[in-house]
Amino acid sequence: MLFRKSLIFGTLFGLLPLSAAAWEHSVERGVDLYQALDGSVSLSLICDPNSVYGTTASAVMVGVGTELEMNVPVTFRFPDLITIQVTLVYGRVSKADNKGGAWEPLLTGFRTHDAVAVFVGDEIHEVNLGVPLPFSCL
């Protein structure tokens, strides 16, 4: 009996991705959702190109470990050394709250690079994004 439980648990655990290291795309409730997970950092890009929900739906979301709703300054640094500083509000940078013009440079960085360094507090997280995608965000 113990062997069977171990076998089932091992099989299920083996199916879970430890690190996707590439954007995954899905459509949920009429918006495009792109997600990348590398180690303890998750990045999500929510795009509403048809304005199904208006401008408030499009956003970049950042999670570190179990912290998904952080209210902290974050810096994104792309391989070409373009640096974008933003403040997360409940873990997100919203297109609607595009203070300082961060939205367009973030999209350009994600569309053209396969990696990004994310600075949260004293921690630096190198996130492997895989092949850049032509995200549907405007």
Side-chain angles (χ1 to χ4, degrees):
M1 184 69 137
L2 182 59
F3 175 74
R4 177 192 270 171
K5 286 182 182 178
S6 298
L7 182 62
I8 292 171
F9 178 77
T11 302
L12 290 175
F13 185 76
L15 295 175
L16 296 174
L18 294 177
S19 178
W23 291 107
E24 293 182 14
H25 175 251
S26 62
V27 178
E28 294 188 24
R29 296 184 173 188
V31 298
D32 289 314
L33 176 60
Y34 303 89
Q35 295 178 302
L37 172 67
D38 193 359
S40 65
V41 178
S42 63
L43 295 176
S44 300
L45 184 56
I46 302 162
C47 301
D48 186 8
N50 300 318
S51 294
V52 173
Y53 297 98
T55 60
T56 59
S58 295
V60 173
M61 299 178 70
V62 179
V64 178
T66 59
E67 293 292 325
L68 302 176
E69 295 188 356
M70 300 177 288
N71 294 304
V72 296
V74 171
T75 301
F76 296 90
R77 186 180 68 211
F78 293 97
D80 60 2
L81 301 182
I82 297 294
T83 302
I84 299 133
Q85 296 177 331
V86 295
T87 299
L88 296 179
V89 178
Y90 295 107
R92 64 189 286 147
V93 177
S94 173
K95 177 183 177 183
D97 298 327
N98 189 19
K99 296 179 181 126
W103 183 251
E104 290 80 14
L106 272 175
L107 286 181
T108 300
F110 290 136
R111 284 180 175 138
T112 57
H113 298 289
D114 63 356
V116 64
V118 181
F119 297 77
V120 181
D122 295 338
E123 298 178 3
I124 302 171
H125 304 278
E126 298 287 338
V127 182
N128 214 349
L129 302 173
V131 177
L133 296 177
F135 301 108
S136 63
C137 287
L138 303 174

